[in-house]
């Protein structure tokens, strides 16, 4: 294909892993049984790889004793903790499909996921924060005929499964492992659909093991790395890019807290001498703004990933300069692609790391196409980003029509994201196709205006949405978070700040100061909700 077109394929010199997650885990344990594997700060526990393998095997055998077989769905509904990791690797050992349930779900969403995926056994925390999981499970249980067993953590349920496993012949695990294949589905993740019910992206051993491996490879991980993971495990960022990346490299997983807390994360980095730190941009913003930030020793940090949402330039610069993460990388992807399709490299320029989401991943193809015709566009032109390769999901669980809408007959996953590929093959995400604002015939990408508003001395975060307008079709509204102690900017003051520096049609007409943006638990801004609330606020 002509180099001037927006198409690129990743390097293939390092081969794909052709084993199951269980086989890969066993290989890592054999290579360094006494190496540090997992530290759970809230529980006060630490495991070597030998100890982790023993705990994983006991729970895997316990699941077999409870009648779970390859292909059966096992759900996990819990914040980040040791048992989450044990369940992840135990289900992989016996070929059960792990269904990761968002800890923020309420009964309506829980019931949908339990029914839609046909979960036979659910591992659940009893409570977390204001969520009484035990009561919610009780409420929906009768409506979920496939759900036969619930194993609550912190009590006799979990202990009973482990005890049953210890009574079983360990040879059973090898017998089951011999029947498993890398292309078997092993994980269902419900994408946080901003409209309608979430869809269950079905991922294989091959999908997620390789993606975790290459994300970590591109950061240069070895068995000496200690990886701080404040990102949620129920999502690819935590369980694939974090846990699978770490185990494939024999690195140590550090769980700073059940859910993200800035101080707990900074404390974990210092106490555990972490070399790697993961987070969505809002997490890094939170850590940099922590009152005690300057007092933490973060000198061991080297690399990590910022992903999950567009990364503000100023935040990236501070992560490199103030947190010492000189080799920090940016990743772009989606659950349906296991998740990562592009990543910056550790030796990329600051400009590439702050203005792009990197170049194509190994063994993956990407292209930018015209959304209406599907034609590959010249480099430099904005269109829909599509990706193809080992990382594309098997499909949405039990939803062939929805799968066909997302993955075309040639195997290309259509991301719904607007992207531009530059002359060097680096990709910039300019927004969601559905977030693009058309004002008086001009296409406006909110991302560009958000980046500009970060340069305002009193604004620490900004999100821009389109609202209906009788004259122009749409107008821009900026939601802004203000730095502590500063006065909330008015629409007039923001317009004055923008005038002469942004084209007139890109200057927000409305400004709304907020404490927080509506978000999905994966750290994605819910622009659909922002738009609805903006229309109400403005009385449109």
């Amino acid at each position: 294909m002509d180099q001037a077109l927006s198409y690129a394929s990743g390097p293939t010199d390092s081969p794909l892993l052709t084993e199951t997650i269980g086989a890969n885990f066993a290989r890592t344990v054999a290579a360094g049984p006494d190496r540090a594997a997992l530290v759970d700060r809230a529980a006060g526990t630490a495991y070597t790889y030998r100890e982790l393998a023993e705990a994983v095997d006991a729970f895997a055998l316990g699941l077999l004793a409870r009648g779970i077989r390859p292909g059966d769905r096992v759900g996990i509904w819990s914040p980040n903790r040791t048992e989450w990791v044990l369940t992840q690797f135990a289900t992989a050992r016996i070929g059960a499909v792990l269904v990761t349930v968002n800890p923020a779900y309420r009964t309506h969403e829980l019931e949908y996921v339990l029914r839609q995926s046909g979960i036979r056994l659910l591992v659940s925390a009893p409570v977390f924060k204001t969520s009484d999981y035990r009561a919610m499970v009780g409420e929906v249980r009768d409506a979920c005929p496939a759900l036969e067993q619930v194993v609550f953590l912190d009590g006799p349920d979990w202990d009973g499964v482990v005890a049953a496993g210890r009574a079983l012949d360990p040879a059973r695990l090898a017998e089951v492992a011999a029947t498993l294949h890398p292309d078997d589905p092993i994980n269902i993740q419900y994408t946080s659909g901003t409209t309608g019910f979430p869809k269950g992206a079905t991922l294989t051993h091959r999908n997620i093991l390789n993606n975790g491996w290459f994300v970590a490879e591109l950061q240069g991980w070895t068995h000496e790395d200690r990886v701080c993971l404040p990102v949620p495990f129920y999502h690819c960022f935590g369980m694939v890019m974090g846990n699978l990346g770490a185990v494939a490299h024999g690195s140590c997983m550090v769980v700073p807290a059940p859910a993200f807390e800035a101080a707990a994360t900074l404390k974990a980095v210092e106490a555990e001498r972490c070399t790697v730190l993961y987070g969505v941009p809002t997490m890094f913003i939170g850590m940099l703004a922590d009152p005690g930030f300057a007092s933490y020793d973060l000198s061991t940090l080297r690399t990590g990933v910022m992903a999950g949402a567009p990364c503000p330039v100023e935040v990236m610069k501070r992560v490199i300069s103030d947190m010492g993460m000189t080799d920090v990388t940016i990743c772009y992807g989606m659950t349906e692609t296991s998740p990562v399709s592009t990543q910056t490299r550790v030796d990329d320029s600051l400009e590439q790391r702050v203005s792009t989401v990197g170049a194509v991943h190994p063994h993956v193809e990407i292209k930018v196409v015209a959304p209406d015709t599907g034609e590959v566009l010249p480099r430099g032109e904005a269109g829909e980003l599509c990706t193809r390769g080992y990382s594309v999901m098997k499909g949405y669980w039990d939803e062939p029509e929805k799968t066909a809408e997302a993955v075309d007959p040639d195997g290309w996953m259509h991301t719904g994201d607007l992207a531009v590929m530059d002359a060097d093959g680096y990709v910039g995400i300019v927004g969601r196709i559905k977030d693009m604002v058309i004002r008086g015939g001009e296409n406006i990408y909110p991302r560009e205006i958000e980046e500009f508003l970060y340069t305002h001395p009193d604004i620490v975060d900004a999100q821009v949405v389109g609202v209906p307008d009788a004259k122009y079709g749409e107008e821009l509204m900026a939601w802004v978070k203000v730095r502590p102690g500063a006065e909330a900017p008015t629409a007039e003051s923001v317009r004055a700040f923008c005038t002469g520096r942004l084209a007139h049609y890109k200057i927000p007409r409305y400004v709304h100061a907020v404490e927080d943006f509506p978000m999905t638990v994966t750290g994605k801004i819910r622009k659909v909700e922002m738009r609805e609330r903006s229309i109400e606020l403005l009385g449109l």
Side-chain angles (χ1 to χ4, degrees):
M1 201 178 272
D2 182 357
Q3 258 318 101
L5 289 177
S6 298
Y7 168 87
S9 58
T12 55
D13 46 330
S14 177
L16 286 165
L17 302 175
T18 55
E19 59 197 342
T20 61
I21 290 166
N24 178 268
F25 180 59
R27 208 153 53 83
T28 295
V29 174
D34 298 319
R35 289 176 188 152
L38 175 67
V39 174
D40 182 340
R41 300 266 304 162
T45 54
Y47 293 73
T48 63
Y49 268 99
R50 180 189 284 109
E51 291 163 342
L52 186 64
E54 284 166 4
V56 163
D57 285 2
F59 191 58
L61 285 161
L63 290 172
L64 290 176
R66 286 290 182 93
I68 297 298
R69 297 293 176 261
D72 284 346
R73 271 77 66 210
V74 171
I76 180 150
W77 193 28
S78 161
N80 289 8
R81 52 186 290 171
T82 297
E83 291 86 352
W84 210 110
V85 181
L86 298 180
T87 305
Q88 178 181 354
F89 287 95
T91 48
R93 286 281 273 137
I94 62 168
V97 179
L98 183 69
V99 183
T100 56
V101 185
N102 184 328
Y105 275 0
R106 292 290 177 264
T107 49
H108 179 61
E109 300 139 316
L110 173 68
E111 182 187 327
Y112 176 78
V113 165
L114 289 169
R115 285 172 64 99
Q116 205 275 330
S117 63
I119 288 173
R120 282 190 64 199
L121 182 147
L122 176 69
V123 177
S124 175
V127 292
F128 180 61
K129 291 187 176 169
T130 59
S131 297
D132 184 343
Y133 289 173
R134 198 185 284 273
M136 284 192 269
V137 171
E139 258 182 76
V140 304
R141 201 164 177 174
D142 290 345
C144 303
L147 183 63
E148 296 160 7
Q149 306 175 61
V150 181
V151 176
F152 286 106
L153 304 177
D154 303 322
D157 286 3
W158 175 271
D159 296 341
V161 177
V162 171
R166 294 199 195 282
L168 217 58
D169 182 356
R172 286 284 302 278
L173 284 178
E175 288 165 21
V176 174
T179 69
L180 307 181
H181 191 275
D183 287 324
D184 294 338
I186 200 65
N187 179 215
I188 298 174
Q189 299 207 17
Y190 282 85
T191 62
S192 48
T194 44
T195 53
F197 274 113
K199 301 185 287 283
T202 306
L203 304 169
T204 65
H205 296 265
R206 176 182 164 87
N207 284 151
I208 58 179
L209 178 61
N210 278 290
N211 206 262
W213 166 259
F214 281 112
V215 167
E217 275 290 280
L218 293 183
Q219 298 167 70
W221 291 12
T222 71
H223 63 82
E224 291 179 347
D225 278 298
R226 298 174 68 83
V227 186
C228 186
L229 296 168
V231 291
F233 287 162
Y234 81 88
H235 187 251
C236 276
F237 202 169
M239 70 165 280
V240 177
M241 299 159 67
N243 296 348
L244 287 177
V247 168
H249 286 83
S251 310
C252 178
M253 300 165 274
V254 175
V255 185
F260 174 69
E261 296 165 34
T265 305
L266 293 164
K267 225 170 260 172
V269 169
E270 178 178 73
E272 302 299 333
R273 315 300 290 150
C274 293
T275 54
V276 182
L277 174 59
Y278 274 14
V280 297
T282 50
M283 290 178 181
F284 284 101
I285 290 168
M287 285 184 274
L288 291 163
D290 187 81
F293 176 77
S295 66
Y296 293 101
D297 175 6
L298 309 178
S299 59
T300 52
L301 283 178
R302 176 185 92 253
T303 187
V305 170
M306 205 193 295
C311 308
V313 173
E314 295 308 313
V315 175
M316 186 67 166
K317 287 178 177 166
R318 284 198 62 199
V319 166
I320 293 169
S321 62
D322 301 0
M323 298 182 85
M325 292 172 63
T326 48
D327 292 355
V328 65
T329 67
I330 298 279
C331 288
Y332 162 82
M334 60 194 308
T335 309
E336 292 89 338
T337 55
S338 303
V340 175
S341 297
T342 69
Q343 186 173 356
T344 59
R345 306 318 199 241
V346 293
D347 52 358
D348 281 344
S349 68
L350 179 65
E351 180 54 34
Q352 283 169 321
R353 283 191 278 177
V354 295
S355 61
T356 79
V357 291
V360 65
H361 235 235
H363 298 276
V364 170
E365 296 173 273
I366 55 172
K367 63 180 180 179
V368 178
V369 303
D372 45 356
T373 65
E375 245 177 282
V376 181
L377 293 168
R379 294 202 177 189
E381 279 188 33
E384 184 178 24
L385 184 64
C386 299
T387 179
R388 179 168 75 174
Y390 78 86
S391 55
V392 175
M393 64 175 179
K394 259 206 177 323
Y396 293 120
W397 184 262
D398 211 15
E399 296 196 88
E401 301 80 10
K402 291 210 167 116
T403 303
E405 285 168 24
V407 183
D408 70 25
D410 293 326
W412 289 97
M413 175 79 208
H414 290 252
T415 66
D417 284 318
L418 285 166
V420 176
M421 187 183 291
D422 70 15
D424 298 318
Y426 279 69
V427 174
I429 302 295
V430 291
R432 294 286 294 162
I433 288 177
K434 59 179 187 283
D435 286 343
M436 189 174 77
V437 178
I438 304 173
R439 181 194 181 275
E442 296 278 5
N443 289 358
I444 302 170
Y445 304 117
R447 173 81 198 273
E448 181 193 355
I449 300 154
E450 290 157 4
E451 287 286 358
F452 175 73
L453 291 175
Y454 283 116
T455 67
H456 189 292
D458 292 336
I459 293 175
V460 292
D461 206 348
Q463 295 295 327
V464 173
V465 293
V467 293
D469 182 75
K471 184 175 178 186
Y472 294 107
E474 285 188 285
E475 266 291 5
L476 297 175
M477 179 163 185
W479 287 39
V480 297
K481 278 195 212 174
V482 183
R483 71 175 168 81
E487 213 170 293
T490 62
E492 291 70 34
S493 69
V494 169
R495 278 205 291 275
F497 180 76
C498 297
T499 300
R501 301 165 76 189
L502 279 183
H504 69 91
Y505 64 87
K506 294 179 186 173
I507 296 175
R509 179 167 173 192
Y510 309 104
V511 174
H512 176 48
V514 292
E515 297 277 310
D516 284 298
F517 303 123
M519 280 190 159
T520 68
V521 274
T522 53
K524 289 189 171 67
I525 305 289
R526 286 185 58 88
K527 288 210 167 174
V528 175
E529 190 180 322
M530 285 176 64
R531 202 170 288 122
E532 288 163 3
R533 279 166 54 183
S534 299
I535 290 167
E536 278 170 35
L537 283 166
L538 301 170
L540 297 172

